[in-house]
């Protein structure tokens, strides 16, 4: 396994905040856990935790996140956003766009996003984003957020029957070896730009929406309150998904999972 060369990344990184500092550990339960500890100890916005391996990597909705040692870019970024909690989805938008652009830049493969948090290449999931945030004591502001990104770089899914058909890795899609260092550098640089825009009140939801899978199509949305079918017609400025129901009404979906409508048993 080739270890992540963070000295090389640090020497080339053109950011003011993101990835300053870069914190590395070969093996962690989850990069989210260490980043959360750093947050409570007062580490600054932009601190980024990286690992080769996670023993308890996690995804959204209580799912686990698996990657073999050294096969993925595993990153958690500490943010202290000056945004109201109602705007927390801006963090996903900025991270998703940054990751998509970084992958396209480094690997020249087209990246789509599955609302709200997944990175897709040619119909398969190549990465995901997990935001874990803490509110200020009065509940009116975000104290901090830990934004985790996992991107499969050289993961071999051949012996992973449950994942083989639905997941992919950048080296397969690009058709050539992909270095995590260049990907990390570009990701942090793009992220700083999109996050800065969100903080400045210039959200990138239109650009984000242009990458979303199944917009304009019939979808099945599974939400914590139940499932519904309708046409995905767009996203709100805040990043909520807009679904037009057969009766013409548009529902605003804040949380859930989307599937093409023909898929009946997600
Ligand atoms: C998802 O697809 O549900 C989100 C996956 C997020 C995985 C990343 S890997 C780095 C960070 N540490 C974790 O435990 N999870 C995130």
């Amino acid at each position: 396994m080739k270890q992540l060369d963070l000295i090389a990344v640090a020497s080339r990184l053109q950011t003011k905040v993101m990835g300053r500092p870069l914190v590395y550990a070969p093996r962690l339960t989850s990069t989210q856990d260490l980043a959360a500890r750093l947050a409570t100890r007062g580490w600054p916005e932009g601190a980024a935790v990286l690992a080769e391996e996670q023993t308890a990597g996690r995804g959204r909705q209580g799912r686990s996140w698996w990657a073999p040692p050294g096969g993925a870019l595993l990153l958690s970024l500490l943010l202290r956003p000056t945004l109201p909690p109602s705007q927390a989805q801006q963090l996903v938008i900025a991270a998703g766009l940054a990751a998509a652009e970084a992958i396209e830049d480094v690997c020249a493969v087209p990246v789509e996003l599955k609302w709200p948090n997944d990175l897709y290449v040619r119909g398969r999931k190549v990465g995901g984003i997990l935001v874990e945030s803490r509110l200020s004591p009065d509940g009116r502001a975000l104290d901090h957020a830990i934004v985790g990104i996992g991107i499969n770089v050289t993961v071999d899914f051949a012996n992973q029957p449950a994942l083989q058909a639905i997941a992919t890795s950048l080296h397969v899609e690009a058709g050539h070896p992909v270095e995590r260092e260049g990907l990390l550098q570009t990701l942090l640089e793009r992220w700083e730009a999109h996050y800065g825009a969100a903080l400045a009140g210039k959200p990138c939801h239109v650009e984000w929406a242009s990458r979303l899978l199944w917009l304009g199509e019939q979808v099945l949305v599974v939400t914590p309150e139940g499932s519904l079918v309708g046409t995905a017609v767009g996203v709100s400025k805040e990043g909520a998904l807009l679904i037009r129901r057969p009766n013409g009404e548009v529902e605003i979906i804040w949380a859930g999972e989307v599937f093409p409508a023909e898929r009946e048993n997600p």
Side-chain angles (χ1 to χ4, degrees):
M1 180 188 87
K2 185 178 167 288
Q3 204 171 297
L4 194 53
D5 183 354
L6 288 186
I7 300 206
V9 177
S11 70
R12 297 191 303 242
L13 193 60
Q14 309 272 320
T15 59
K16 289 199 168 75
V17 171
M18 302 305 202
R20 302 195 179 273
L22 295 167
V23 179
Y24 173 82
R27 194 166 194 244
L28 290 171
T29 50
S30 160
T31 52
Q32 297 288 105
D33 295 337
L34 178 52
R37 286 201 295 280
L38 300 182
T40 52
R41 286 180 206 155
W43 280 51
E45 168 160 272
V49 176
L50 292 121
E52 304 290 357
E53 183 184 3
Q54 302 183 116
T55 54
R58 55 182 179 269
R60 290 174 64 235
Q61 303 184 326
R63 289 190 284 254
S64 62
W65 174 267
W66 172 84
L73 184 63
L74 306 171
L75 161 71
S76 294
L77 192 74
L78 165 58
L79 296 175
R80 299 188 180 279
T82 49
L83 290 171
S86 60
Q87 294 294 321
Q89 181 74 355
Q90 297 303 328
L91 305 179
V92 176
I93 293 177
L97 268 180
E101 289 171 2
I103 293 170
E104 287 184 348
D105 208 48
V106 171
C107 308
V109 295
V111 182
E112 292 176 297
L113 302 171
K114 179 162 101 78
W115 185 89
N117 292 39
D118 290 342
L119 302 162
Y120 269 60
V121 174
R122 301 186 185 112
R124 291 201 164 111
K125 180 163 170 170
V126 76
I129 298 165
L130 173 69
V131 178
E132 295 176 323
S133 45
R134 180 177 292 182
L135 297 180
S136 61
D138 65 6
R140 291 196 188 160
L142 288 167
D143 176 76
H144 69 259
I146 309 295
V147 185
I149 301 189
I151 301 175
N152 301 322
V153 179
T154 55
V155 182
D156 182 0
F157 288 101
N159 296 319
Q160 303 293 326
L163 297 174
Q164 208 172 15
I166 54 171
T168 190
S169 203
L170 292 181
H171 75 309
V172 173
E173 299 299 331
H176 56 73
V178 176
E179 296 219 322
R180 290 180 295 169
E181 287 79 2
L183 186 61
L184 174 61
Q185 181 195 343
T186 314
L187 170 61
L188 291 169
E189 290 170 359
R190 300 290 169 115
W191 205 341
E192 185 157 291
H194 289 302
Y195 177 66
L199 294 189
K202 297 176 199 147
C204 317
H205 62 288
V206 175
E207 222 177 324
W208 185 66
S210 73
R211 289 182 180 271
L212 286 183
L213 284 163
W214 310 316
L215 275 197
E217 295 176 29
Q218 282 275 108
V219 292
L220 166 71
V221 188
V222 181
T223 77
E225 292 79 37
S227 301
L228 61 120
V229 173
T231 308
V233 287
V235 293
S236 72
K237 200 159 83 270
E238 296 81 15
L241 185 64
L242 307 178
I243 301 289
R244 185 180 298 121
R245 303 301 306 278
N247 67 5
E249 278 175 19
V250 174
E251 293 224 14
I252 303 174
I253 310 292
W254 292 99
E257 195 105 10
V258 187
F259 305 91
E262 69 270 18
R263 189 169 152 183
E264 297 212 324
N265 297 305

